[in-house]
Amino acid sequence: MNCPRCGALIRNPQAARCPWCSEQLATEVAGGDDAVSSPPARQDNAGAAFASQPIRRPPLPPEHYSPGYEPYGPPPSGQMAPPGWAPPGTPPIVVPAAPPSNRKKAVIWAVLGALGVIVLCVAAAGVIGVNLGSRLAANALKRTPTTAPLLSGSVTPFANTPAGEQVIFQDTLMSGATGWPDVAPKCFYQGDGYHVADGYWCYSPVAAISDVTVSVDAEQISGSVQAPYGIILRSESPDYYYEFDLYSDGQWGFGRSTHENPYIALIWPQTSSAIKSGLHASNHLMVRAKGTHFEFFINGTKVGEADDSTFTSGRSGLVCNQQGEAVFTNFQMTKPAA
């Protein structure tokens, strides 16, 4: 039989109450499979008697019933009950998006890979171009002729030339006739002498030589007073050389440079009273290299000496490091006395 209230199928014919809604049951009467006799009178909340009418709600299949289930409950407010509607509290079913096919993945990765290669090529080309341009510009100033003839002993030495030394090469540096590089604004001639600026080395036209005394008049005209300038000697290549430096703050120093170690101080910058400090102060520099021994002079005063055997021969020139510009006159190379 079926419950007269909720229509649930009741398999126990002796049941006194519906197992689903607790409705009191009565004896079944004639009238068909779906007809149920009126149950005993019930009392409403106010105590008034009323009679239940026969319930002719079509029963649902037994598998639809479970404790607490409302088979004819309303759908959520404002919605229509879709097919297979689940009761409140049932978690929503999320259908994940279909992943891209393998072919689509392959196309995407191929495009990204091609873009990455293009970006890397452009970046590498830029770096190589900048480095190559800088090296070519620097080397253009350093590759000067090396065939200038040595001067004879009849040439009058410049002032302050050590007695007994033979002049190998001399130049007042007031014109470009003797073969120094002339590439403004790094190494160039002006009316006041030969200018070197912004970290460049400018080599004389004399070929490599071993024992030599190099002297020059030097004056810093711009930049920081802590920017060194001075003489390059025994330069085997643009990256291998000795450097005798003057600082306009009243110091001097000596070091060597290699490609592996850009600068190693053999004499740390130190103060000397022989130096005329400040911008536009002219100082006479001289370094004597004989074998592995070096002696340094400023304005005729010996300020120090050092020993090093790294370089035994090379070219001579002038330098002014970054953040500065210096002008040079009266450059001379002589052969030390025996």
Side-chain angles (χ1 to χ4, degrees):
M1 63 180 174
N2 296 93
C3 175
R5 182 186 181 197
C6 65
L9 177 64
I10 302 174
R11 297 184 183 275
N12 184 5
Q14 303 300 326
R17 292 182 179 277
C18 176
W20 309 115
C21 64
S22 300
E23 177 72 15
Q24 185 174 359
L25 303 177
T27 304
E28 185 176 357
V29 298
D33 293 337
D34 59 349
V36 179
S37 63
S38 300
R42 298 183 300 170
Q43 298 293 323
D44 61 8
N45 293 336
F50 67 91
S52 298
Q53 298 297 322
I55 299 176
R56 297 184 179 276
R57 183 178 297 165
L60 294 175
E63 58 268 19
H64 282 252
Y65 293 101
S66 61
Y69 175 71
E70 294 292 339
Y72 296 102
S77 176
Q79 299 183 16
M80 295 185 65
W85 175 79
T90 304
I93 299 176
V94 179
V95 180
S101 64
N102 291 336
R103 183 177 180 182
K104 188 174 182 180
K105 287 183 179 179
V107 172
I108 293 174
W109 281 111
V111 172
L112 293 177
L115 291 176
V117 171
I118 293 174
V119 171
L120 290 176
C121 290
V122 171
V127 172
I128 293 173
V130 171
N131 290 339
L132 181 60
S134 300
R135 287 185 174 272
L136 289 177
N139 289 338
L141 303 181
K142 299 167 185 176
R143 293 175 180 172
T144 53
T146 59
T147 57
L150 300 182
L151 301 179
S152 64
S154 60
V155 175
T156 302
F158 288 153
N160 301 318
T161 301
E165 294 198 358
Q166 179 185 357
V167 176
I168 300 173
F169 175 80
Q170 64 177 203
D171 189 352
T172 61
L173 298 177
M174 301 302 292
S175 68
T178 54
W180 290 75
D182 190 5
V183 184
K186 306 300 182 181
C187 304
F188 59 98
Y189 290 95
Q190 279 192 347
D192 56 347
Y194 188 67
H195 289 243
V196 183
D198 198 23
Y200 271 73
W201 301 260
C202 308
Y203 288 91
S204 74
V206 180
I209 193 171
S210 180
D211 294 346
V212 66
T213 299
V214 182
S215 61
V216 71
D217 292 326
E219 175 185 341
Q220 184 181 1
I221 61 175
S222 68
S224 170
V225 294
Q226 296 179 341
Y229 61 99
I231 297 173
I232 293 290
L233 71 156
R234 289 190 179 175
S235 177
E236 295 182 351
S237 73
D239 293 326
Y240 298 83
Y241 55 86
Y242 289 115
E243 184 173 339
F244 173 34
D245 290 320
L246 184 69
Y247 300 80
S248 292
D249 63 356
Q251 299 187 87
W252 70 278
F254 177 64
R256 70 167 182 262
S257 179
T258 64
H259 180 74
E260 298 77 16
N261 297 289
Y263 188 82
I264 297 177
L266 300 175
I267 298 179
W268 285 97
Q270 53 187 269
T271 303
S272 173
S273 59
I275 300 173
K276 300 176 184 177
S277 60
L279 296 179
H280 303 287
S282 180
N283 289 275
H284 182 74
L285 308 181
M286 184 175 72
V287 53
R288 179 183 292 119
K290 188 174 182 180
T292 61
H293 189 66
F294 300 85
E295 296 178 316
F296 309 98
F297 303 82
I298 299 176
N299 296 322
T301 300
K302 184 176 179 179
V303 294
E305 55 188 315
D307 291 279
D308 191 83
S309 59
T310 304
F311 309 125
T312 59
S313 178
R315 298 177 60 188
S316 301
L318 303 170
V319 62
C320 183
N321 283 287
Q322 295 178 353
Q323 302 178 352
E325 181 177 345
V327 58
F328 299 90
T329 56
N330 300 322
F331 180 87
Q332 182 176 258
M333 300 171 64
T334 60
K335 185 176 180 180

